[in-house]
Amino acid sequence: MVNISTSPHIRSGLSTATVMQDVAIALMPALLMGVFVFGLRALLVILLCAVCCTLTEYLYRRLMKLPQTVSDGSALVTGLILAMNLPASVPLWIPVFGAVIAILVVKQLFGGLGQNIMNPALAARCFLLISFPALMGAGMPAVGNLLGPDALAAFGQRMTTLAVDATTGATPLQMLKDGQSVDLLQAFFGFHSGCIGETSTVAILVGAAYMLLRGVISPRIPGIYLAATVAFVALFRAVTGEPLTGNYLLGQLCTGGLMAGAVFMATDYVTSPITPWGQVIYALLLGLLTALFRVFGSSAEGVSYAIIIGNTLVPLMEKVTIPRAFGKRGVAR
Amino acid sequence: MNLRTFKHGIHPADGKALSANEAIRDFRPTGEMVYPLNQHIGAPAQPVVAVGDPVLVGQTLAQPGGFVSAAICSAASGTVKAIELRRTVSGKEALSIVIENDGQYTPMPGVGERRDYTALSGQQILDIIRDAGIVGQGGAGFPTHVKLTMKEGVQPETIILNAAECEPYLTSDYRLLIEKTDRVLEGLQVVLQIFPQAQAVIGIEANKPEAIRLLTEKTAALPHISVQVLKTKYPQGGERMLIHAVTGRDIHSGKLPIDAGCVVLNVSTVMSIRAAVCRGIPQIAAIMTVTGEGAASPCNVSVPVGTSHRELLAFAGGLKGEPEKLISGGPLMGVAMVSLDVPVLKTSSAILAMPEDEVARWEPTACIRCGRCLRACPEFLVPPMMAHAADNGDLGAFEKVNGMECIECGCCTYVCPAKRRLTQSFRTAKTAVNAKRRAAAAKK
Ligand code: SF4
Ligand code: SF4
């Protein structure tokens, strides 16, 4: 007999899994760049995060006898974003621990996909930052020999050892905070110390372009967030009277976690507003908070905390920005 | 070209190529004819025939049961066999007049005779439309004479002919527009005879170039009728979207098209008006598309109202394989049929045979808050908030997030990657709110 269900009777080809797949693809350039810059150990951290996130989700759903959801790919994406936010030099139990925090505590205990109020990967990163500051921040791996005649040999070396480079390098963002200028071109390509997936602005932009083309994200949140951060940083620097150079402003834009945060984390569906004006407010708030943390905070970075704080305010922002329905926008005549 | 449209909406695969080049064929079934008395919005019609009575084509079987109601006329000749409960397209049972069809199609005297509409007054035309039992053929079947009856002092500025036919797969309006262009335009002129001050605008989607060419050519000499080409986008033919595209005016659920100075009529409704006024033929035929990848030979058919869907499908070449789903209407707003043994109504537009049921293939999963539904909704609603309220049975919250503005177009559900059955929840919640409102009104 024929099937009965109510209209509509057709569906677009899109599914949660295809959307997550697109996000995972978009993350690849940034992550691969991380492997190129930081070597085999970065690859190991990425794999650990991806596997542990997926496994945690699988085991939790299974033990709790809930419908299995690993195949939707959202846990994998969380794993990749978590890895993006870790330095390659972390002890290897950190990705495992972070994955459990992200998937078990931040995502599943809140009810699973769509119910979590904070971005799981970012919340896990913030938790790790607070709990293990020495492991998470200070030990940013120094950048090896990336260019020049010996580059290939150096790359080969990085890809054959899991040892952590004892020398640690200051991140360019820290250098900016300390009043130094940075090599913008190197920063743009990502040849500097930092977390695995955040260093290469160009690789992140390639991922962003892919997601924009595929309609996965709209430019609204990342665009406003980036612009607002630069604007507020400039404003605050003007207020404090510290020197404000082009190098400083552009450096703010393409070093640290801002670009990765704006493209991959602030746009996280579940933890950003769905209403158009809610998205505007959210992005502006993220820009304001990021600038506040970066200019006045004790650490050079502020993107993760800004986004996490923004996440918690999303329900409120949506509530006050419900769009006016079609016929109620103007008068009939 | 200046293509007007509305914001948001979707672009599903249109499937029209299956049947767009098939000329409308006439069908004269020989099986029994069934006429549910409630195939329009408003009070059910009242039978004026009794079991055993002989009937002729065009004869009135039932009178309007009130002002908002419509007459029902026989599309065949024969005898009244029964007046009893019969299953309808919706799956529910309704009191119906059943005619034993003699297959002769003997017309009532006067049916088919020419009449000069220019000699008639507006009120005379409205009376003819009422007696012909004409109801809107695009949607739920609102009685056309009620739609065309204006309050004192109100006159429409714009008569919009809804030639968008935005539902995928449907091609019957398109065929009428290219095969019967003159009759469609004559029908519009009949309507303009009622409203001499008004301008008529034909709103048509850009994907029908042949029809646009014919209409533009033939309206060149008609000062009161113009053609407005619209962007091809679903639901361009939605009443509110169409009014927005043509006039720039917006209405919501608390308003009627006339509040924006408009009267919106479908192609087949205008054809019915012309047939009734100029030829004395009541609304006894539905132009239907029998189509879908599960139909053996997709085509367009002029079907006598009352014909069984089973007989129509057999005439149209039957099915190919075993379709998983049979729909009365289009894929976005049509109704899944439980059985083929239900009669064609005045509002019937299509039989769509789907080899695979996409709804059954996808289990709904958790909302990922991707916002695609917001960007698809032509009413600028927030489907996840509405669904949350609807699924919790919180009707107050549902109304607060503008749930009652939902036109049930299905765009949100179509785009949702989590395959949530949003429109279904909204339909249920809207029905509940309307029931609550009626109960409250009855108490007063
Ligand atoms: S389209 Fe579906 S998953 Fe996306 S926000 Fe709407 S209901 Fe949620
Ligand atoms: S079904 Fe309702 S909520 Fe969904 S897109 Fe259409 S009008 Fe909007």
Side-chain angles (χ1 to χ4, degrees):
Chain A
M1 195 53 230
V2 284
N3 289 344
I4 307 299
S5 57
T6 71
S7 66
H9 305 286
I10 49 172
R11 300 285 191 267
S12 66
L14 227 56
S15 70
T16 302
T18 62
V19 172
M20 293 300 164
Q21 193 183 323
D22 273 340
V23 178
I25 291 172
L27 281 161
M28 286 305 135
L31 290 173
L32 289 178
M33 201 63 180
V35 174
F36 173 66
V37 173
F38 301 115
L40 186 61
R41 200 175 165 97
L43 184 62
L44 189 63
V45 171
I46 296 170
L47 290 177
L48 267 178
C49 286
V51 170
C52 292
C53 278
T54 307
L55 205 63
T56 310
E57 172 126 335
Y58 173 77
L59 289 176
Y60 177 84
R61 303 296 293 193
R62 175 139 197 195
L63 292 177
M64 300 306 286
K65 299 201 165 50
L66 293 165
Q68 197 47 262
T69 51
V70 266
S71 61
D72 68 23
S74 63
L76 174 70
V77 166
T78 296
L80 296 179
I81 293 184
L82 177 63
M84 169 179 238
N85 282 296
L86 295 177
S89 56
V90 285
L92 293 179
W93 58 267
I94 285 268
V96 181
F97 190 54
V100 173
I101 300 272
I103 296 295
L104 183 67
V105 181
V106 189
K107 183 179 174 189
Q108 291 298 344
L109 292 186
F110 275 90
L113 183 62
Q115 305 294 313
N116 47 297
I117 51 170
M118 288 184 272
N119 182 318
L122 266 191
R125 167 179 146 102
C126 291
F127 175 81
L128 295 170
L129 267 178
I130 295 169
S131 314
F132 314 105
L135 299 177
M136 286 291 290
M140 293 286 188
V143 172
N145 192 351
L146 288 165
L147 303 167
D150 306 330
L152 206 61
F155 177 63
Q157 246 171 30
R158 289 199 300 281
M159 290 307 289
T160 45
T161 175
L162 283 178
V164 188
D165 200 334
T167 55
T168 59
T171 65
L173 195 60
Q174 189 62 47
M175 289 162 64
L176 284 173
K177 189 162 183 94
D178 298 341
Q180 306 166 30
S181 66
V182 293
D183 182 336
L184 283 178
L185 202 61
Q186 281 213 9
F188 188 67
F189 283 102
F191 300 155
H192 56 77
S193 56
C195 293
I196 294 171
E198 72 177 20
T199 58
S200 176
T201 305
V202 64
I204 293 166
L205 287 178
V206 169
Y210 177 76
M211 289 200 291
L212 286 171
L213 274 178
R214 299 276 298 167
V216 175
I217 60 170
S218 96
R220 191 183 286 134
I221 290 178
I224 297 178
Y225 180 15
L226 293 173
T229 306
V230 173
F232 282 120
V233 164
L235 181 73
F236 296 154
R237 290 283 279 198
V239 169
T240 56
E242 282 165 283
L244 188 64
T245 62
N247 183 279
Y248 180 85
L249 280 183
L250 284 175
Q252 287 290 338
L253 204 55
C254 53
T255 69
L258 180 59
M259 196 55 75
V263 170
F264 289 108
M265 290 158 246
T267 56
D268 173 32
Y269 289 156
V270 175
T271 55
S272 62
I274 49 175
T275 57
W277 281 106
Q279 294 175 347
V280 173
I281 298 173
Y282 173 75
L284 286 174
L285 178 76
L286 296 194
L288 173 69
L289 290 175
T290 304
L292 273 177
F293 291 139
R294 281 192 171 184
V295 175
F296 301 109
S298 59
S299 110
E301 190 51 282
V303 170
S304 304
Y305 293 117
I307 296 179
I308 288 295
I309 294 172
N311 287 168
T312 60
L313 295 173
V314 164
L316 187 66
M317 295 184 215
E318 284 181 348
K319 212 172 165 174
V320 299
T321 54
I322 294 177
R324 279 206 286 167
F326 174 76
K328 303 193 168 170
R329 319 201 120 207
V331 238
R333 51 168 106 190
Chain B
M1 205 184 310
N2 157 30
L3 294 191
R4 302 226 198 140
T5 190
F6 61 100
K7 288 207 180 96
H8 298 177
I10 56 173
H11 297 96
D14 83 349
K16 291 187 193 282
L18 285 177
S19 57
N21 293 323
E22 302 293 325
I24 299 170
R25 290 193 281 158
D26 272 320
F27 175 37
R28 292 201 156 182
T30 51
E32 66 171 24
M33 308 291 272
V34 179
Y35 297 90
L37 295 172
N38 64 350
Q39 46 182 302
H40 48 257
I41 285 185
Q46 301 287 337
V48 292
V49 290
V51 176
D53 285 0
V55 294
L56 298 172
V57 171
Q59 185 173 335
T60 305
L61 300 175
Q63 284 177 339
F67 177 61
V68 183
S69 183
I72 291 171
C73 303
S74 182
S77 55
T79 334
V80 179
K81 187 160 86 174
I83 300 179
E84 61 186 21
L85 287 177
R86 285 295 181 100
R87 196 198 286 281
T88 67
V89 162
S90 69
K92 294 191 196 112
E93 291 196 323
L95 194 62
S96 309
I97 298 175
V98 185
I99 306 288
E100 185 68 59
N101 185 354
D102 64 13
Q104 300 300 313
Y105 289 87
T106 319
M108 284 262 291
V111 166
E113 253 168 48
R114 278 169 191 278
R115 179 157 47 191
D116 177 13
Y117 72 89
T118 54
L120 300 171
S121 75
Q123 191 53 51
Q124 283 171 319
I125 295 176
L126 284 177
D127 289 344
I128 295 172
I129 291 174
R130 186 197 57 219
D131 295 340
I134 299 177
V135 302
Q137 274 143 305
F142 192 74
T144 302
H145 74 275
V146 180
K147 190 184 245 183
L148 295 179
T149 303
M150 297 294 138
K151 281 205 209 96
E152 262 310 302
V154 180
Q155 281 295 312
E157 292 164 34
T158 316
I159 309 296
I160 303 177
L161 177 68
N162 186 353
E165 198 163 58
C166 60
E167 264 271 14
Y169 290 92
L170 306 197
T171 54
S172 48
D173 282 358
Y174 170 71
R175 290 310 307 180
L176 285 175
L177 288 169
I178 61 171
E179 288 178 36
K180 311 273 158 75
T181 323
D182 292 328
R183 296 191 193 173
V184 173
L185 293 176
E186 192 175 15
L188 262 185
Q189 281 166 306
V190 172
V191 178
L192 287 173
Q193 173 90 0
I194 317 176
F195 308 114
Q197 314 294 327
Q199 287 286 328
V201 179
I202 303 172
I204 182 164
E205 280 190 340
N207 63 352
K208 304 174 184 66
E210 177 63 13
I212 294 169
R213 188 185 64 76
L214 278 170
L215 288 167
T216 314
E217 211 175 277
K218 298 195 169 182
T219 52
L222 303 172
H224 295 293
I225 304 181
S226 59
V227 178
Q228 174 64 57
V229 182
L230 309 167
K231 216 166 163 177
T232 305
K233 185 162 79 166
Y234 178 86
Q236 184 62 72
E239 203 166 59
R240 298 180 203 167
M241 284 73 239
L242 190 62
I243 292 174
H244 174 85
V246 171
T247 67
R249 293 171 185 164
D250 294 349
I251 55 167
H252 55 77
S253 63
K255 292 193 183 279
L256 292 172
I258 193 64
D259 293 316
C262 296
V263 168
V264 183
L265 296 167
N266 282 289
V267 174
S268 40
T269 312
V270 168
M271 283 292 285
S272 299
I273 291 175
R274 181 234 166 232
V277 176
C278 306
R279 291 293 181 275
I281 306 170
Q283 189 172 31
I284 52 173
I287 313 297
M288 292 176 67
T289 307
V290 180
T291 186
E293 282 75 11
S297 48
C299 57
N300 301 289
V301 188
S302 173
V303 192
V305 173
T307 306
S308 140
H309 278 81
R310 188 176 297 284
E311 210 181 337
L312 165 61
L313 191 60
F315 170 78
L319 299 171
K320 193 162 66 186
E322 274 187 41
E324 285 186 7
K325 208 175 206 179
L326 291 170
I327 294 159
S328 165
L332 283 153
M333 294 189 80
V335 178
M337 287 194 283
V338 186
S339 153
L340 277 169
D341 297 309
V342 292
V344 165
L345 306 175
K346 295 181 203 174
T347 49
S348 294
S349 58
I351 301 180
L352 174 62
M354 296 177 74
E356 190 189 11
D357 182 10
E358 296 182 27
V359 179
R361 188 172 58 181
W362 299 101
E363 265 308 301
T365 55
C367 168
I368 56 171
R369 296 172 38 85
C370 67
R372 281 180 177 76
C373 49
L374 279 88
R375 292 194 295 276
C377 178
E379 288 283 332
F380 287 75
L381 304 178
V382 189
M385 290 186 182
M386 292 156 63
H388 191 256
D391 296 343
N392 287 336
D394 188 345
L395 297 182
F398 182 75
E399 286 185 75
K400 228 191 203 136
V401 293
N402 296 320
M404 296 309 283
E405 296 304 314
C406 173
I407 56 168
E408 300 171 29
C409 64
C411 290
C412 52
T413 311
Y414 174 79
V415 297
C416 178
K419 312 293 172 190
R420 300 190 62 72
R421 295 177 183 164
L422 300 161
T423 311
Q424 186 172 345
S425 301
F426 305 157
R427 196 173 289 129
T428 312
K430 280 179 65 187
T431 311
V433 172
N434 280 328
K436 205 177 72 179
R437 286 182 182 173
R438 268 198 303 274
K443 233 183 245 162
K444 269 185 205 148

